[in-house]
C-alpha cells in the first residue's frame, strides 16, 4: 500500500479511532460508568433526534456546504401542533401523525422553493425559518406546556416513556435474548451486504480498495454491534426509538450510496456548473434536500414530544447545531460533495459520548459547550487541511 492510499485509509478511520479513544477516556474518568448498560441505552434514546436530523442535514451539506438553521424550531413547531390537536382537539393519533408529517413537508417545500428556485442563500432562508417557527410554536402553545402522557399509544409508538423497549420474544431472564439475536442478525446482514458490494465492484472493474482493510473494518464494526447488543440485552433490550433511527439510517444510507438521485447530491456539491451542463436539474436537487429536511424534522419532532411526553415552546433549542456538528465531525466536507450516512452517525455518537461523559463527570454546562465547539472546529480544520495536502496556512 503506497503512502497516498495509506493516508486515505487513515483519513476514513480517523473518526472511528477518535470515538474509541474518547470513549476509553471517559470510561477511565467515570470509573466505567459510561459503559454501563443503562447509560448505553440512554445514549441512544437521548440522541435519537440527532441521528435523524443529522441524516437529513447531510443531504443539505452535500449540495455545497449548505445548512438548515431552522430544524430545531421546526421540531418544536411540529411537536406543538401534534400535542394541540391530539390533546385539545381529540384528533385520532394516526390522523395527527399524518398532519404533523404534512406540516413538516410543507415547511420543507416552502424553504426549498426560496432556496432552489429563487436562489436566496440557504443561510438567510433557514435563519428566517428559525425565527418564524420558534415564534409560531409559542403562538400555538400559548406559551404553555401541554402534556401528552395520556396519549400512551403515541408515546410508545415513537419510543417515549420509561418502558418503551422491544419485548423479549425468546426469554424472560436477566439477558434479553431478542436483543442479542437482533445484534447477531444485524452483523450477518452487514457482512453479507459489504462482501456483496465488494465483489460486485470488483467484477465490474471498479476500484474496491484494500481487501484486508475491508476485512478489518468488518471485524471492528461487527464487534462493536455485538458488544452494544450485549450491553442493551443486559438492561431492558432494544429501545423502540432505535427502530426509527435504524429505518432512517438504512433508507438514507441506501439512497445516498446506491441510487441515481443520491449521487445527484454529491454531483451538485462537487461541481454545480458541470452537473447542470450534464443535464441534471440542480434546482430540483436543492429543493429535494430541503423538502426532505422538513420531513425528517417532523419525525424528530414526534420522537421528541414522545420522549418528553409533552410539548413546550423551548423544545428543539440547539438541535440544529447538534445536527450540523455531527455531520462535520462525521466527515462531511464544509465545501459539499463529501460525506456518508455512516460517518454522520459516528459523528453523532461521538457528540453523544462527549455529552454523556461530561455530564457523568459533573462538568459545568458552559464548559460542555466550549468542548463541543472545539471538537467541531478541529473536525473542520482537519477537513480543510487534508484538502490542502497537509498545509495549515494557504499561501497566495
Amino acid at each position: 500500500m503506497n503512502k497516498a492510499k495509506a493516508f486515505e485509509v487513515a483519513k476514513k478511520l480517523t473518526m472511528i479511532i477518535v470515538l474509541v479513544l474518547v470513549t476509553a477516556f471517559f470510561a477511565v474518568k467515570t470509573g466505567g460508568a459510561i459503559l454501563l448498560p443503562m447509560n448505553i441505552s440512554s445514549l441512544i434514546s437521548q440522541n435519537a433526534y440527532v441521528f435523524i436530523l443529522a441524516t437529513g442535514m447531510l443531504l443539505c451539506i452535500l449540495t455545497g456546504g449548505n445548512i438548515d438553521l431552522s430544524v430545531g424550531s421546526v421540531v418544536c413547531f411540529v411537536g406543538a401542533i401534534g400535542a394541540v390537536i391530539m390533546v385539545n382537539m381529540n384528533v385520532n393519533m394516526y390522523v395527527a401523525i399524518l398532519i404533523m408529517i404534512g406540516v413538516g413537508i410543507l415547511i420543507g417545500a416552502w424553504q426549498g422553493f426560496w432556496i432552489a428556485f429563487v436562489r436566496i442563500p440557504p443561510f438567510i432562508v433557514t435563519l428566517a425559518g428559525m425565527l418564524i417557527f420558534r415564534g409560531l410554536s409559542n403562538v400555538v402553545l400559548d406559551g404553555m406546556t401541554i402534556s401528552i402522557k395520556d396519549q400512551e399509544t403515541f408515546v410508545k409508538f415513537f419510543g417515549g416513556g420509561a418502558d418503551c423497549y422491544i419485548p423479549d420474544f425468546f426469554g424472560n431472564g436477566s439477558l434479553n435474548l431478542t436483543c442479542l439475536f437482533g445484534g447477531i442478525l444485524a452483523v450477518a446482514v452487514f457482512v453479507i451486504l459489504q462482501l456483496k458490494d465488494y465483489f460486485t465492484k470488483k467484477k465490474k472493474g471498479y476500484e474496491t480498495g484494500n481487501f484486508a482493510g475491508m476485512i478489518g473494518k468488518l471485524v471492528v464494526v461487527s464487534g462493536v454491534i455485538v458488544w452494544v447488543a450485549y450491553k442493551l440485552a443486559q438492561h431492558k433490550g432494544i429501545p423502540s426509538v432505535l427502530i426509527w433511527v435504524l429505518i432512517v439510517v438504512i433508507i438514507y444510507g441506501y439512497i445516498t450510496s446506491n441510487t441515481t438521485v443520491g449521487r445527484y447530491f454529491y454531483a451538485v456539491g462537487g461541481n454545480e456548473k458541470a452537473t447542470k451542463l450534464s443535464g441534471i436539474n440542480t434546482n430540483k436537487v436543492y429543493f429535494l434536500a430541503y423538502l426532505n429536511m422538513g420531513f425528517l424534522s417532523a419525525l424528530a419532532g414526534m420522537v421528541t414530544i414522545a420522549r418528553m411526553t409533552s410539548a413546550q415552546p423551548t423544545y428543539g433549542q440547539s438541535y440544529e447545531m447538534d445536527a450540523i456538528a455531527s455531520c462535520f465531525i462525521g466527515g462531511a466536507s464544509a465545501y459539499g460533495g463529501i460525506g456518508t450516512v455512516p460517518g454522520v452517525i459516528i459523528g453523532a455518537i461521538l457528540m453523544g459520548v462527549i455529552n454523556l461523559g461530561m455530564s457523568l463527570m459533573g462538568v459545568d454546562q458552559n464548559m460542555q459547550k466550549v468542548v463541543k465547539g472545539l471538537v467541531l472546529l478541529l473536525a473542520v480544520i482537519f477537513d480543510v487541511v487534508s484538502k490542502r495536502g497537509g498545509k495549515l496556512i494557504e499561501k497566495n
Side-chain angles (χ1 to χ4, degrees):
M1 185 184 294
N2 58 40
K3 290 183 178 180
K5 287 186 177 180
F7 176 77
E8 285 299 318
V9 172
K11 184 180 175 182
K12 290 179 181 178
L13 296 176
T14 298
M15 282 305 118
I16 296 177
I17 296 170
V18 170
L19 176 59
V20 171
L21 292 175
V22 169
T23 304
F25 170 79
F26 283 118
V28 173
K29 286 293 185 178
T30 61
I34 196 171
L35 300 179
L36 291 174
M38 180 178 65
N39 286 329
I40 298 293
S41 182
S42 295
L43 179 68
I44 294 170
S45 299
Q46 291 173 7
N47 292 279
Y49 74 89
V50 184
F51 300 137
I52 294 169
L53 292 176
T55 302
M57 191 69 71
L58 174 65
L59 300 187
C60 298
I61 292 172
L62 286 177
T63 60
N66 300 309
I67 56 175
D68 188 338
L69 294 173
S70 69
V71 293
S73 297
V74 175
V75 164
C76 184
F77 181 57
V78 169
I81 289 176
V84 167
I85 61 178
M86 282 191 293
V87 176
N88 295 353
M89 301 180 182
N90 294 316
V91 173
N92 178 272
M93 181 192 89
Y94 299 103
V95 175
I97 290 171
L98 291 176
I99 291 172
M100 284 187 276
I101 291 174
V103 169
I105 291 174
L106 284 174
I107 291 171
W110 163 262
Q111 298 191 139
F113 170 78
W114 298 112
I115 292 167
F117 300 108
V118 185
R119 289 297 174 137
I120 297 175
F123 181 88
I124 301 300
V125 173
T126 59
L127 177 61
M130 180 175 71
L131 300 173
I132 291 168
F133 298 112
R134 179 64 62 185
L136 288 175
S137 299
N138 275 278
V139 171
V140 170
L141 293 171
D142 198 23
M144 306 294 287
T145 297
I146 295 180
S147 173
I148 60 168
K149 286 183 179 179
D150 294 336
Q151 307 294 321
E152 293 183 9
T153 305
F154 177 87
V155 170
K156 289 183 178 180
F157 191 67
F158 287 101
D163 298 315
C164 292
Y165 293 84
I166 303 301
D168 189 358
F169 300 105
F170 301 103
N172 295 306
S174 58
L175 196 65
N176 190 299
L177 296 181
T178 299
C179 180
L180 206 55
F181 292 153
I184 295 170
L185 178 62
V187 167
V189 172
F190 172 72
V191 171
I192 290 170
L193 290 176
Q194 288 293 309
L195 290 174
K196 181 182 177 183
D197 183 59
Y198 177 85
F199 288 112
T200 300
K201 287 181 178 178
K202 189 173 182 180
K203 184 178 180 181
K204 293 181 178 180
Y206 299 155
E207 186 178 350
T208 56
N210 186 272
F211 184 73
M214 188 198 71
I215 294 298
K217 174 186 171 183
L218 291 179
V219 172
V220 172
V221 174
S222 298
V224 170
I225 292 173
V226 171
W227 179 80
V228 171
Y230 178 70
K231 285 290 184 178
L232 292 177
Q234 289 180 305
H235 184 49
K236 295 181 180 179
I238 304 171
S240 53
V241 73
L242 180 58
I243 303 301
W244 286 107
V245 172
L246 289 175
I247 290 172
V248 170
V249 170
I250 291 170
I251 290 175
Y252 284 88
Y254 178 82
I255 289 172
T256 54
S257 61
N258 293 285
T259 67
T260 303
V261 173
R263 304 317 298 176
Y264 286 169
F265 292 101
Y266 291 94
V268 170
N271 191 325
E272 184 182 352
K273 289 183 179 179
T275 304
K276 201 167 187 177
L277 289 171
S278 68
I280 296 171
N281 190 328
T282 56
N283 289 350
K284 285 186 177 180
V285 175
Y286 282 112
F287 183 76
L288 279 174
Y290 285 91
L291 180 73
N292 174 73
M293 192 71 254
F295 165 70
L296 289 181
S297 295
L299 178 58
M302 290 183 275
V303 167
T304 298
I305 63 170
R307 179 173 170 269
M308 302 296 189
T309 63
S310 65
Q312 60 176 266
T314 58
Y315 286 171
Q317 289 183 344
S318 297
Y319 278 20
E320 60 279 349
M321 298 307 169
D322 291 335
I324 293 166
S326 297
C327 289
F328 289 135
I329 291 170
S333 173
Y335 302 107
I338 297 174
T340 63
V341 171
V344 165
I345 297 305
I346 291 172
I349 294 173
L350 178 58
M351 290 293 288
V353 168
I354 292 172
N355 284 333
L356 180 60
M358 289 193 294
S359 295
L360 292 172
M361 288 173 62
V363 176
D364 180 72
Q365 287 287 334
N366 293 317
M367 285 306 299
Q368 289 188 30
K369 292 177 181 178
V370 171
V371 172
K372 289 193 288 185
L374 288 172
V375 171
L376 172 59
L377 179 60
L378 289 172
V380 176
I381 288 172
F382 177 80
D383 171 55
V384 173
V385 171
S386 64
K387 284 181 170 57
R388 296 176 183 167
K391 296 179 181 178
L392 180 61
I393 299 176
E394 186 176 23
K395 294 181 181 179
N396 292 325

